[in-house]
Amino acid sequence: MSHHRHIPTLEEDHITLDELGPRTVRVAGAIGVVGLALAAAMGAARGDGFASFGWSYLLNFAFFLSVSLGAFFFVAIGHVMGVHWNVVARRLAEVVAANLVYLVVLMIPLLLLAGRVFPWATGHTETPAALLAIKAPYLNQTFFLVRWVVYFLIWCGYALWFWKRSLEQDETGAPQLSVRMSRKSGLALLLYALTLTFASYDLLMSLDPAWFSTIFGPYYFAGSVVAFAAALTVITFWLQSRGRLTKVIHTEHLHDYGKLLFAFVFFWAYLAFSQYMLIWYANIPEETAWFLRRQQNGWGWVGLLLLFFNFIVPFLGLLARSVKRHRRGLYFWAVWLLVMHWVDLYWIVMPEFHPETPLPDLLDLLTFVGIGGLYVAGIALRASGHSLVPRRDPRLDDSLGFENA
Amino acid sequence: MDATRAMEPLDNTLEDPTRPTPLVLGGHTLTSLTDKICAIAEKPRPPRAWYIAITASSSLTLVMFAMIGYLITTGVGVWGLNNPVGWGWAIVNFVFWVGIGHAGTLISAILFLLRQKWRTSINRFAEAMTIFAVICAGIFPGIHVGRVWVVAWIFPIPNYESMWPNFRSPLLWDVFAVGTYATVSLLFWYTGMVPDLATLRDRATTKVRAIVLGVLALGWRGSHRHWHRYEWAYLILAGLATPLVLSVHSVVSFDFATAQLPGWHTTIFPPYFVAGAIFSGFAMVGTLIVPIRKWFNLEDIITLHHLENINKVILATGTMVGFAYSTEFFIAWYSGNPNESFTFVNRAFGPYAWAYWTMVSCNVIVPQFFWSKKIRTTPWMAWILYIFVNIGMWFERFVITVTSLSRDFLPSSWAYYSPTFVDVLTFVGSFGLFFTLVLLFVRFGPIIAMAEVKTVMPVAALEGESKPIGDYHGDMHDEPRHLREKE
């Protein structure tokens, strides 16, 4: 029964990275640098002006960006709603969200290659020139750059602000900081919704300059939250298997990770169905062209992969309470959903680049390892030297003692 | 009962992350809470104002039935429909009422799963309102079919002519979606009410009350086993109802979005309609709850903190609706499709610009006032904003339905739509029906979920086992025994 349960304290747990931090920065950083170097070399060897490199890079950038954007949401929605259960996990989310700062650096290659990657810039597209001319006030390289500066200013500004206030609270323990973070979160979420939506248009929807779908922003958002919930599970598992946070984050929290995953897997499917069904039903050529490309030359199998393995199977898999409370079971589904989120983005990006085959390229893997290595190094770098739990948050005790009925 | 509770601050809207917000004020004990809420339904006579109100609302209901009678005996020509605008107020009113019917199940199902304890003070009432709104909604598609005597054909009933409805039509999906929603909402409402009906039954002073409430309470005795089953039923119903909250208005949005008409066909419609439904539903909850908490002195149970949370939900969903409007507008331009951009420019600057700007002002600008804590926590100010939201959300459906139809692809067929007095009176009359049902429920039913509110009272933590936080359902299995000891 509940009142006999032991409620963990921070003192009995290991809540800093210590030697794990620098080691992870070195190893992941080295993997990242080598991965990107190999990818760049391979991209150069292709002799296509880094176009294939750029596409793979874009795909994986969109993937890691979505993880950090999901973390941003997790932090802000928690503050705005005064959430208790997630306090023990919030520092991890703050770290991942603040990784947006390093994504600015990782965005630079994409900005440099924009003229060779985005079809509205290269002109390698079936979209008629007249239509491109209509869209040119939005789809042009200068405005693209300006928009990304704005997005990152907003994202990094808030993510760093949350990170710093949270660290400040580690020192002072002032409850007033929680109130301030809560007040800041409302506007943060509004700006987040706007910037994420336009970022998804810029990065993904505009790859077919003729195509448009008003649900596209929410679609990328839903995927982002799934990706972060999965990443949070993986990070927690990784830390716990190395003796960190083994008591502070317990089954009750994992159960809620699982619920979050489950809810947003369902939400993703709801949005994906809405988008597909409405376009299929109305059958207007300017909209169906996008899906048609994803139903030919074997791409239809990737779509079915998404239907079954990004919705039906994980939906059934995560349905049971026992799975969500089973550490390895939850870890399994988290890794699964991260892979499937990548497949989802692959299915969005690559049919625009190589519609003739759904098979991935080695460059996709190398850029994944490259960006991913640096991304992980960034997380470890930021987390080093700080508590992995907001140790003086006024709601921490509630979170430590949290229990699902 | 003890000193700490006597010192409880009356203002529970202060943000203090160091301790949980008190959700019930006024130093209530479990018994005093029961007495207070039951008294509303047990008074031999309601206040005079109630009689005046129900006279007005039931008269309006009669007006609606008169209009429906006139419609059926004369034909749909009595409505303002014209050639391009074949869907007028009937569909607008249908979507309006279904939208309002979203708050109750959201509060009882989704907020339950999200462990939002404050929901307990308002969920019962909101669920009742949901059922009544869905009843009002159901009338309009029923009467707009033209030949009402064959309205049963909208259901897939086996028949000797093998006549089946068109399963590929979103209008039929609506029949299923709304029918399922109404059923589950009704079950949810009733299941949640059983323990409270039993409380009323146990307190009954007349034979008639004892028998009627006894039947309705389904033999509830408050045993551990009853509570155990009840918690499970509640959790399962919450799980089932959660996707329904999304699905109903998504399917309603399909009525429009599966078409090829600019302004109707856009992929954001499902989530955008759901956000709008929650928005309008909460505004209607607020519209009713502000006067009711005043008239029945329920300010210590439906506190300012509750109102503030309602207002935050309205701010969030209203902003989502505004976000959807701007997305539609941007994509209409971005699509490069002249029909799309024409439709949206026509909405904002065409003959229905007045309706469009009414919609934008009420739905996007008005809720922004809720950024102010002063307005969020001042009931009369919030109430004025609720009224605007109600108006705005009706206009949203009007703008969507009528502007796109009245100026379609063929300029020679364009026509301006105006309602007739029959349209207007039928709609006004539906409010009569809605308020009549609300008034009857307020008079006879347990308008606050007593059993649930008790679980979030500080006295529950004192008398029961101490739990820091978590799901409160399932904590209080012994509660009926507490009650019985006191009575």
Side-chain angles (χ1 to χ4, degrees):
Chain A
M1 276 304 287
S2 58
H3 46 289
H4 303 308
R5 208 168 56 96
H6 171 69
I7 293 177
T9 59
L10 295 186
E11 287 68 35
E12 59 188 275
D13 207 339
H14 193 168
I15 58 163
T16 46
L17 279 181
D18 299 330
E19 82 290 349
L20 263 185
R23 202 198 314 157
T24 311
V25 174
R26 276 198 307 277
V27 174
I31 292 175
V33 169
V34 171
L36 272 191
L38 282 177
M42 194 169 164
R46 289 283 168 89
D48 58 1
F50 281 97
S52 7
F53 171 83
W55 281 86
S56 299
Y57 194 93
L58 183 153
L59 163 66
N60 289 302
F61 179 81
F63 177 83
F64 287 101
L65 178 68
S66 70
V67 176
S68 278
L69 288 177
F72 187 110
F73 177 75
F74 185 87
V75 173
I77 197 79
H79 283 308
V80 87
M81 294 183 74
V83 174
H84 294 76
W85 77 268
N86 80 358
V87 173
V88 291
R90 207 187 67 224
R91 179 57 52 76
L92 302 178
E94 285 163 352
V95 173
V96 176
N99 226 28
L100 282 159
V101 176
Y102 302 119
L103 283 168
V104 176
V105 183
L106 288 169
M107 179 81 190
I108 292 171
L110 199 56
L111 291 172
L112 293 175
L113 289 173
R116 302 174 185 199
V117 170
F118 291 97
W120 44 264
T122 59
H124 296 308
T125 167
E126 294 165 13
T127 311
L131 190 54
L132 280 182
I134 292 175
K135 300 189 180 203
Y138 185 81
L139 294 179
N140 65 72
Q141 289 199 52
T142 317
F143 192 30
F144 182 85
L145 177 68
V146 170
R147 286 199 301 274
W148 279 90
V149 170
V150 173
Y151 304 157
F152 270 115
L153 276 177
I154 291 171
W155 295 338
C156 296
Y158 276 114
L160 284 179
W161 189 86
F162 284 127
W163 164 252
K164 284 184 184 146
R165 293 296 80 73
S166 187
L167 285 186
E168 191 182 329
Q169 200 172 43
D170 274 2
E171 301 309 318
T172 65
Q176 195 53 31
L177 282 168
S178 296
V179 177
R180 277 177 67 197
M181 287 192 272
S182 169
R183 290 198 180 144
K184 205 89 164 182
S185 299
L187 186 62
L189 282 169
L190 177 59
L191 294 174
Y192 168 83
L194 283 170
T195 47
L196 178 141
T197 303
F198 282 98
S200 74
Y201 296 165
D202 293 352
L203 212 51
L204 302 170
M205 196 172 86
S206 74
L207 294 177
D208 177 354
W211 189 70
F212 53 89
S213 171
T214 42
I215 209 172
F216 202 82
Y219 182 92
Y220 185 65
F221 162 73
S224 300
V225 179
V226 172
F228 172 69
L232 180 63
T233 311
V234 171
I235 292 171
T236 304
F237 189 89
W238 185 85
L239 286 170
Q240 291 189 336
S241 59
R242 279 153 189 78
R244 308 301 196 277
L245 306 182
T246 47
K247 301 195 175 62
V248 165
I249 298 181
H250 48 72
T251 310
E252 303 298 334
H253 302 113
L254 294 186
H255 188 175
D256 267 21
Y257 285 12
K259 289 183 196 170
L260 190 66
L261 267 178
F262 178 78
F264 275 84
V265 162
F266 192 87
F267 187 58
W268 173 88
Y270 162 69
L271 298 176
F273 170 77
S274 299
Q275 174 167 276
Y276 181 80
M277 196 280 284
L278 290 175
I279 289 176
W280 168 79
Y281 197 109
N283 204 11
I284 303 171
E286 62 185 2
E287 288 182 337
T288 50
W290 194 83
F291 278 109
L292 211 55
R293 213 167 295 131
R294 283 155 183 77
Q295 286 173 0
Q296 291 168 341
N297 303 325
W299 279 103
W301 292 106
V302 185
L304 286 175
L305 205 65
L306 286 175
L307 171 63
F308 283 96
F309 297 133
N310 203 23
F311 173 51
I312 298 174
V313 172
F315 175 84
L316 296 172
L318 281 164
L319 194 55
R321 172 187 165 96
S322 55
V323 175
K324 292 187 280 255
R325 297 174 72 87
H326 187 277
R327 201 164 151 268
R328 283 183 180 277
L330 188 68
Y331 178 66
F332 169 80
W333 287 113
V335 173
W336 173 295
L337 285 168
L338 273 177
V339 172
M340 286 314 297
H341 176 59
W342 190 88
V343 174
D344 182 25
L345 292 174
Y346 184 79
W347 176 81
I348 289 171
V349 172
M350 287 306 175
E352 303 301 335
F353 184 56
H354 50 78
E356 66 285 351
T357 171
L359 294 177
D361 188 334
L362 187 58
L363 272 174
D364 300 334
L365 180 70
L366 288 177
T367 47
F368 177 83
V369 171
I371 298 178
L374 295 177
Y375 186 82
V376 171
I379 291 177
L381 185 63
R382 184 170 301 278
S384 295
H386 299 293
S387 162
L388 297 173
V389 183
R391 58 193 169 92
R392 294 181 70 185
D393 188 291
R395 297 190 181 96
L396 181 64
D397 286 345
D398 286 339
S399 184
L400 287 169
F402 162 71
E403 187 183 9
N404 283 283
Chain B
M1 199 171 130
D2 61 50
T4 44
R5 243 180 318 115
M7 279 157 59
E8 220 167 61
L10 275 173
D11 184 359
N12 64 345
T13 62
L14 296 172
E15 293 163 277
D16 183 358
T18 58
R19 59 194 197 120
T21 309
L23 293 172
V24 176
L25 304 175
H28 272 290
T29 62
L30 298 179
T31 315
S32 72
L33 186 96
T34 308
D35 287 340
K36 180 159 191 173
I37 294 165
C38 290
I40 298 169
E42 286 170 346
K43 267 185 209 141
R45 279 182 182 283
R48 183 184 295 271
W50 186 86
Y51 285 104
I52 297 170
I54 201 153
T55 309
S57 68
S58 50
S59 310
L60 276 179
T61 313
L62 286 178
V63 170
M64 181 185 73
F65 283 117
M67 288 302 119
I68 293 173
Y70 179 47
L71 170 82
I72 292 170
T73 52
T74 318
V76 282
V78 301
W79 283 351
L81 303 175
N82 58 33
N83 203 335
V85 187
W87 249 9
W89 278 35
I91 195 78
V92 174
N93 300 341
F94 163 70
V95 183
F96 173 76
W97 281 118
V98 172
I100 286 174
H102 267 64
T105 310
L106 178 104
I107 292 169
S108 41
I110 295 186
L111 295 190
F112 171 70
L113 295 182
L114 293 178
R115 298 189 288 261
Q116 296 293 308
K117 298 180 176 194
W118 60 277
R119 64 181 263 290
T120 52
S121 292
I122 56 168
N123 70 341
R124 170 67 44 71
F125 181 77
E127 285 170 47
M129 188 208 77
T130 286
I131 313 274
F132 305 150
V134 172
I135 290 171
C136 291
I139 289 173
F140 289 97
I143 59 172
H144 98 308
V145 292
R147 298 176 198 170
V148 181
W149 48 95
V150 291
V151 75
W153 289 7
I154 63 173
F155 298 101
I157 303 166
N159 56 68
Y160 68 95
E161 283 178 320
S162 293
M163 291 261 293
W164 293 100
N166 180 4
F167 287 99
R168 283 174 293 186
S169 162
L171 300 180
L172 182 68
W173 308 343
D174 250 357
V175 174
F176 296 131
V178 178
T180 312
Y181 184 70
T183 312
V184 174
S185 300
L186 192 66
L187 280 175
F188 211 169
W189 181 52
Y190 188 69
T191 307
M193 209 152 50
V194 167
D196 289 349
L197 289 171
T199 306
L200 282 173
R201 172 202 62 197
D202 294 346
R203 295 164 54 100
T205 46
T206 67
K207 200 82 191 154
V208 177
R209 280 188 72 85
I211 292 172
V212 171
L213 289 164
V215 170
L216 289 175
L218 305 177
W220 178 269
R221 288 291 177 276
S223 69
H224 280 185
R225 181 175 300 202
H226 284 180
W227 278 109
H228 183 71
R229 298 267 156 85
Y230 171 85
E231 307 290 357
W232 271 109
Y234 204 95
L235 182 64
I236 289 168
L237 280 169
L240 289 174
T242 295
L244 282 178
V245 177
L246 294 184
S247 73
V248 184
H249 233 56
S250 298
V251 173
V252 169
S253 83
F254 293 163
D255 293 347
F256 301 95
T258 52
Q260 296 179 331
L261 199 64
W264 285 16
H265 175 74
T266 183
T267 49
I268 206 173
F269 254 35
Y272 148 47
F273 265 49
V274 172
I278 295 165
F279 178 55
S280 69
F282 269 80
M284 187 57 90
V285 169
T287 309
L288 299 172
I289 217 107
V290 166
I292 283 177
R293 72 193 276 277
K294 183 90 189 153
W295 290 335
F296 295 107
N297 295 318
L298 294 171
E299 285 113 325
D300 45 1
I301 300 165
I302 304 166
T303 65
L304 288 180
H305 177 69
H306 294 90
L307 286 185
E308 187 179 12
N309 281 352
I310 290 175
N311 297 338
K312 283 179 179 171
V313 173
I314 291 176
L315 171 59
T317 47
T319 310
M320 283 183 209
V321 167
F323 176 74
Y325 293 164
S326 22
T327 304
E328 278 191 296
F329 232 100
F330 173 75
I331 295 286
W333 170 79
Y334 177 86
S335 71
N337 180 328
N339 291 311
E340 286 283 335
S341 29
F342 167 78
T343 300
F344 283 90
V345 170
N346 179 50
R347 274 186 189 176
F349 304 107
Y352 288 105
W354 61 274
Y356 181 82
W357 293 108
T358 306
M359 165 188 104
V360 171
S361 316
C362 294
N363 293 347
V364 186
I365 299 170
V366 161
Q368 303 309 318
F369 284 105
F370 282 134
W371 287 100
S372 149
K373 192 178 178 78
K374 169 87 185 150
I375 295 175
R376 282 203 303 270
T377 54
T378 310
W380 67 267
M381 290 187 192
W383 193 80
I384 293 173
L385 300 187
Y386 300 150
I387 299 299
F388 279 113
V389 173
N390 289 322
I391 295 170
M393 282 309 289
W394 186 86
F395 269 96
E396 179 192 293
R397 281 62 175 251
F398 178 80
V399 166
I400 292 169
T401 310
V402 174
T403 58
S404 286
L405 285 173
S406 79
R407 289 193 162 182
D408 60 4
F409 296 104
L410 198 62
S412 61
S413 72
W414 288 0
Y416 191 82
Y417 165 90
S418 310
T420 63
F421 79 96
V422 184
D423 285 304
V424 178
L425 289 181
T426 314
F427 177 56
V428 173
S430 68
F431 273 97
L433 177 63
F434 180 71
F435 285 121
T436 305
L437 293 170
V438 168
L439 286 164
L440 288 174
F441 179 65
V442 166
R443 173 71 188 95
F444 296 107
I447 59 171
I448 288 182
M450 291 178 278
E452 292 200 65
V453 170
K454 284 169 194 165
T455 63
V456 302
M457 287 168 66
V459 64
L462 289 174
E463 293 180 11
E465 51 191 66
S466 146
K467 282 181 75 171
I469 186 131
D471 206 313
Y472 46 90
H473 257 272
D475 298 355
M476 295 302 299
H477 291 291
D478 311 35
E479 184 192 326
R481 228 189 299 145
H482 287 301
L483 282 178
R484 230 173 279 150
E485 279 160 15
K486 289 215 172 72
E487 277 159 14

